[in-house]
């Protein structure tokens, strides 16, 4: 990848000049430890009411799919035993998927944080020209596999390459292909609540300067039935360890402490107290009639959020609620016991369980899992949910890309690899055809990515291109000239000097309506990160911070990368006039490679801030 190559050149130059790369906390391995360095870091998102917006206040729509495996015993996404990751991600981008949800286990993150990443298995990697597959996964001998953390980092960079964004979800505390069956976020493989939080904070800190990893889904499907008491996830106002609302709020704040720009996805629980009778309490035995509990899909129940919403000390500008919803082929829930329509689903289940969050403009929704087999009532349900999400601007990630999800199947039918022709991916045309209508796309059929600079695959455009095009999209119903909604940024967004900065199975437990969206525009005196452009003012307002090429308030590797790309005449390396003044630490007539070297020396603490000045 071009940016990675440029950074490697920068680091090589620094090693040649100094003999070492000394960083706070120890030495830096190059280039593996800097895979997460970003070039522009301007794609972070934030929330207003029930919508998600980019840095410029333009509404965005996250429309993606799940790719599982880092939660499983293989410690890596599945199918790389018979497919090349470049081929796969290119195909995913070409099919218009703008974000991927990557399930992962806390146990694996513990190994990464400890500096002893667990190995991967069932992954093919060979750099030999006679048979080349996943060569970037190989050590220098061209055959030995890199570890799981290194491979995850490489996958993130390849997502960046194709204009795909990503987020992780903690699928289970322990590494287990069926770990999603476990109720809680703690209690397995030595994982406590503190360990769960600490590992997520560690990953958020590692990626705080790389907006490829946009969000953190704190726990997949917290669940359990009320009569299980402390062994089931509940949602109330207590500080009990199994109170999901309390734990999620605490975890969200800890992540936002290190990266105030990450989206935090909060799933629901399975059951809530109904309040059917005075004196009912969590953990009491169920009753045959007039149950004290109201059920839902695992991760789908947000009834507790009415009285106990997630409100971190950082505010709610980064909070997204993320229910899961499935159809009758997964389990024959009571709301399917009729000739159901959108209205009956709303009345019987959706509205009081999760849809009220969107309808009442409380927070954005992202349906983290939906999908299933293309048959009978399940096909009907999928179509109804898809259309409801389109009409109501609801973000979503389809379950799943993998073919090996036992009770849902996947968007792929099969993957294979043949030297010389690469990976052959067979997509399920019928299922993809249904799903594809819910991908963010222009009226002319171009898929819209979430990266401001990189277009989404061969059939897509970047976010900046879309908002400059004047074209409508399916987000606004195809209404010409109305490209979603745009609001001024009104949320106080933490203005410190940080960067805006295996087969598995799922467990159990049309009436057309017209909706009107009202968006209130409010002005604010908040200072936001300037947008880098290629045009210069003849009299730029000078904001001196030597080395700060991207003008985000800090001097770090992203500045060195940006300067390197600019010197290499990369057409997408845009620096403002003020940024160029900041970057010219060598004092020459213009920015040159000496500036990159000097910035890197400063980052490595080989020179002081005073010595960084020209």
């Amino acid at each position: 990848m071009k940016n990675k190559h440029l950074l490697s050149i920068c680091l090589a130059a620094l090693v040649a000049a100094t003999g070492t790369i000394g960083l706070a906390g120890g030495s830096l391995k190059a280039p593996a430890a800097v895979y997460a360095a970003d070039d522009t870091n301007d794609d972070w998102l934030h929330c207003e009411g029930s919508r998600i917006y980019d840095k410029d206040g333009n509404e965005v729509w996250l429309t993606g799919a799940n790719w599982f495996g880092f939660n499983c015993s293989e410690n890596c996404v599945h199918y790389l035993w018979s497919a090349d990751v470049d081929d796969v991600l290119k195909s995913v981008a070409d099919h218009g998927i703008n974000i991927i949800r990557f399930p992962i286990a806390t146990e694996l993150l513990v190994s990464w944080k400890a500096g002893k990443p667990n190995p991967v298995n069932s992954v093919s990697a060979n750099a030999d020209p006679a048979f080349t597959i996943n060569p970037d996964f190989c050590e220098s001998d061209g055959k030995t596999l890199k570890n799981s953390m290194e491979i995850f980092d490489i996958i993130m960079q390849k997502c960046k390459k194709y204009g795909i964004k990503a987020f992780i979800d903690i699928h289970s505390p322990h590494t287990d292909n069926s770990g999603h069956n476990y109720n809680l976020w703690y209690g397995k493989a030595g994982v406590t609540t503190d360990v769960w939080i600490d590992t997520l904070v560690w990953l958020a800190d590692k990626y705080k300067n790389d907006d490829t990893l946009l969000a953190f889904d704190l726990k997949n499907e917290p669940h359990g039935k009320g009569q299980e008491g402390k062994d089931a996830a509940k949602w109330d106002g207590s500080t009990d360890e199994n109170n999901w609302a309390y734990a999620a709020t605490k975890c969200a704040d800890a992540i936002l402490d290190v990266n105030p720009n990450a989206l935090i996805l909060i799933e629901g629980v399975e059951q809530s107290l109904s309040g059917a009778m005075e004196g009912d309490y969590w953990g009491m035995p169920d009753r045959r009639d007039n149950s004290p509990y109201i059920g839902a899909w695992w991760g789908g129940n947000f009834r507790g959020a009415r009285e106990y919403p997630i409100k971190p000390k950082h505010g709610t500008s980064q909070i997204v609620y993320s229910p899961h919803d499935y159809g009758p082929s997964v389990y024959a829930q009571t709301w399917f016991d009729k000739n159901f329509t959108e209205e009956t689903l709303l009345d019987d289940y959706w509205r009081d369980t999760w849809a009220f969050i969107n309808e009442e403009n409380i927070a954005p929704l992202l349906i983290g899992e939906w999908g299933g087999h293309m048959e009978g009532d399940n096909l009907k349900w999928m179509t109804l949910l898809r259309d409801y999400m389109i009409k109501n601007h609801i973000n979503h990630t389809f379950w799943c890309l993998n073919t090996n999800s036992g009770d849902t199947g996947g968007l792929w039918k099969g993957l294979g690899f043949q030297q010389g022709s690469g990976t052959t991916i067979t997509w399920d045309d019928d299922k993809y055809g249904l799903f594809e209508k819910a991908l963010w796309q222009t009226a002319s059929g171009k898929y819209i990515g979430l990266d401001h600079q990189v277009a989404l695959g061969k059939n897509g455009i970047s976010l900046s291109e879309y908002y400059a095009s004047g074209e409508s999209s399916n987000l606004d119903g195809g209404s010409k000239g109305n490209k979603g909604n745009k609001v001024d940024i009104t949320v106080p967004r933490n203005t410190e000097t940080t960067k805006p900065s295996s087969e598995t199975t799922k467990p159990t437990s049309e009436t057309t309506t017209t909706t009107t969206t009202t968006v209130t525009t409010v002005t604010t005196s908040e200072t936001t990160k300037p947008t880098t452009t290629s045009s210069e003012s003849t009299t730029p307002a000078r904001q001196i911070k030597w080395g700060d090429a991207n003008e985000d308030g800090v001097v770090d590797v992203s500045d060195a990368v940006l300067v390197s790309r600019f010197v290499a005449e990369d057409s997408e390396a845009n620096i403002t006039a003020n940024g160029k003044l900041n970057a010219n630490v060598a004092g020459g007539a213009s920015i040159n490679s000496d500036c990159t070297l000097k910035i890197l020396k400063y980052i490595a603490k080989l020179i002081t801030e005073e010595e960084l000045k020209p």
Side-chain angles (χ1 to χ4, degrees):
M1 181 178 175
K2 177 169 57 177
N3 296 344
K4 174 184 158 187
H5 178 62
L6 284 168
L7 184 55
S8 298
I9 292 172
C10 297
L11 290 167
L14 183 57
V15 172
T18 66
T20 184
I21 304 178
L23 292 177
S27 61
L28 175 66
K29 287 174 61 180
V34 293
Y35 275 125
D38 196 14
D39 48 357
T40 52
N41 206 38
D42 61 351
D43 298 327
W44 298 108
L45 304 174
H46 69 282
C47 309
E48 289 268 4
S50 61
R51 304 289 183 257
I52 301 177
Y53 299 95
D54 75 351
K55 63 185 178 65
D56 299 317
N58 294 310
E59 184 178 357
V60 300
W61 195 18
L62 283 61
T63 57
N66 286 261
W67 187 7
F68 66 76
F70 277 106
N71 55 309
C72 299
S73 58
E74 294 83 4
N75 293 319
C76 188
V77 285
H78 288 176
Y79 294 103
L80 297 183
W81 52 70
S82 61
D84 183 90
V85 66
D86 265 296
D87 295 338
V88 172
L89 289 174
K90 181 179 184 301
S91 183
V92 167
D94 290 348
H95 280 76
I97 291 166
N98 65 23
I99 194 163
I100 297 176
R101 179 179 184 256
F102 288 96
I104 198 167
T106 298
E107 183 179 1
L108 183 60
L109 292 182
V110 167
S111 76
W112 294 1
K113 182 175 180 288
K116 299 177 181 179
N118 291 340
V120 299
N121 61 67
S122 299
V123 174
S124 297
N126 196 331
D128 189 330
F131 188 83
T132 304
I133 181 172
N134 294 315
D136 294 335
F137 292 174
C138 295
E139 297 287 3
S140 57
D141 63 5
K143 296 181 179 179
T144 304
L145 272 172
K146 293 181 182 291
N147 63 49
S148 52
M149 184 179 73
E150 292 170 321
I151 288 178
F152 178 85
D153 288 344
I154 293 168
I155 290 172
M156 291 300 101
Q157 285 302 300
K158 291 186 182 297
C159 284
K160 185 193 303 293
K161 175 181 177 181
Y162 296 109
I164 301 169
K165 295 300 181 182
F167 68 98
I168 59 105
D169 93 88
I170 298 300
H171 220 63
S172 57
H174 57 308
T175 300
D176 187 333
N177 293 49
S178 296
H180 57 280
N181 288 312
Y182 184 70
N183 290 0
L184 301 168
W185 51 98
Y186 60 90
K188 286 277 192 178
V191 175
T192 64
T193 294
D194 286 344
V195 168
W196 165 66
I197 293 174
D198 289 347
T199 52
L200 277 167
V201 168
W202 174 84
L203 186 64
D205 188 56
K206 172 181 166 70
Y207 270 88
K208 66 184 177 184
N209 296 327
D210 186 350
D211 54 16
T212 303
L213 192 63
L214 280 177
F216 297 86
D217 186 343
L218 302 186
K219 171 65 177 77
N220 179 72
E221 298 178 352
H223 64 277
K225 301 190 183 303
Q227 60 266 33
E228 296 177 71
K230 63 182 178 59
D231 294 324
K234 63 177 181 175
W235 191 308
D236 62 20
S238 73
T239 58
D240 296 338
E241 188 171 20
N242 66 318
N243 176 19
W244 173 234
Y246 174 71
T249 303
K250 184 178 177 182
C251 187
D253 266 326
I255 291 172
L256 294 172
D257 280 343
V258 298
N259 183 0
N261 303 287
L263 292 180
I264 307 296
L265 274 59
I266 311 291
E267 298 191 30
V269 293
E270 179 184 358
Q271 291 192 340
S272 58
L273 275 173
S274 67
M277 296 179 64
E278 186 177 353
D280 286 352
Y281 61 92
W282 187 260
M284 68 179 291
D286 204 355
R287 292 187 290 261
R288 182 186 297 268
D289 300 311
N290 200 18
S291 172
Y293 305 110
I294 301 175
W297 291 111
W298 292 5
N301 193 331
F302 285 88
R303 288 171 180 264
R306 280 196 177 278
E307 187 174 359
Y308 305 106
I310 304 298
K311 290 186 175 181
K313 66 182 181 184
H314 287 270
T316 58
S317 69
Q318 304 306 117
I319 299 300
V320 178
Y321 289 123
S322 185
H324 291 185
D325 208 84
Y326 280 101
S329 71
V330 172
Y331 188 75
Q333 303 279 16
T334 57
W335 45 93
F336 300 126
D337 291 343
K338 61 177 65 176
N339 182 21
F340 60 86
T341 65
E342 178 186 292
E343 278 306 310
T344 69
L345 289 170
L346 280 165
D347 292 342
D348 295 345
Y349 179 67
W350 289 350
R351 179 171 288 113
D352 290 336
T353 307
W354 54 260
F356 74 91
I357 293 170
N358 180 77
E359 290 181 349
E360 298 173 21
N361 209 34
I362 295 170
L365 290 174
L366 186 149
I367 308 294
E369 293 184 16
W370 68 288
H373 296 301
M374 299 280 289
E375 57 191 24
D377 279 351
N378 205 73
L379 175 57
K380 176 182 175 181
W381 164 82
M382 288 172 70
T383 305
L384 290 172
L385 179 61
R386 178 202 65 190
D387 293 347
Y388 181 78
M389 292 190 299
I390 294 171
K391 287 186 295 184
N392 292 279
H393 299 214
I394 294 174
N395 309 277
H396 61 92
T397 48
F398 191 87
W399 186 273
C400 53
L401 290 168
N402 305 55
T403 69
N404 58 328
S405 179
D407 56 358
T408 65
L411 290 167
W412 297 325
K413 283 187 173 179
L415 295 86
F417 186 85
Q418 184 174 353
Q419 178 68 4
S421 59
T423 304
T424 300
I425 303 175
T426 305
W427 289 73
D428 184 326
D429 291 338
D430 291 337
K431 184 177 287 189
Y432 173 73
L434 181 144
F435 164 68
E436 191 267 348
K437 291 180 173 61
L439 294 173
W440 194 19
Q441 55 196 282
T442 67
S444 60
K446 290 187 177 295
Y447 300 118
I448 304 166
L450 301 171
D451 192 296
H452 284 87
Q453 309 300 325
V454 183
L456 181 62
K458 69 179 180 181
N459 303 314
I461 57 177
S462 70
L463 197 55
S464 294
E465 289 174 318
Y466 169 58
Y467 274 107
S469 71
E471 191 173 1
S472 62
S473 81
N474 56 346
L475 183 64
D476 51 72
S479 156
K480 190 172 179 61
N482 176 19
K483 305 180 300 300
N485 296 298
K486 181 170 181 174
V487 299
D488 292 339
I489 298 174
T490 61
V491 179
R493 298 188 61 218
N494 310 298
T495 56
E496 302 91 13
T497 56
T498 52
K499 296 183 78 67
S501 5
S502 168
E503 180 168 304
T504 65
T505 58
K506 306 302 298 180
T508 65
S509 180
E510 150 166 29
T511 302
T512 302
T513 59
T514 302
T515 61
T516 302
T517 301
T518 302
V519 179
T520 302
T521 302
V522 183
T523 58
T524 175
S525 59
E526 176 195 0
T527 301
T528 58
K529 178 183 173 184
T531 305
T532 56
T533 65
S534 58
S535 60
E536 296 182 22
S537 168
T538 55
T539 58
R542 181 68 171 127
Q543 301 293 328
I544 297 175
K545 187 170 184 62
W546 295 111
D548 185 17
N550 59 16
E551 300 177 274
D552 61 4
V554 295
V555 180
D556 58 18
V557 172
S558 64
D559 295 298
V561 172
L562 181 58
V563 173
S564 296
R565 293 175 61 208
F566 184 83
V567 172
E569 299 183 351
D570 182 341
S571 61
E572 295 182 356
N574 300 318
I575 309 179
T576 67
N578 193 81
K580 290 176 184 177
L581 292 172
N582 284 345
N584 191 7
V585 294
S590 60
I591 302 172
N592 55 42
S593 58
D594 289 340
C595 299
T596 304
L597 180 59
K598 199 170 180 184
I599 292 170
L600 282 166
K601 285 182 176 180
Y602 172 72
I603 296 166
K605 302 189 183 302
L606 299 175
I607 60 174
T608 66
E609 185 172 4
E610 186 66 27
E611 292 170 322
L612 179 62
K613 296 178 182 179

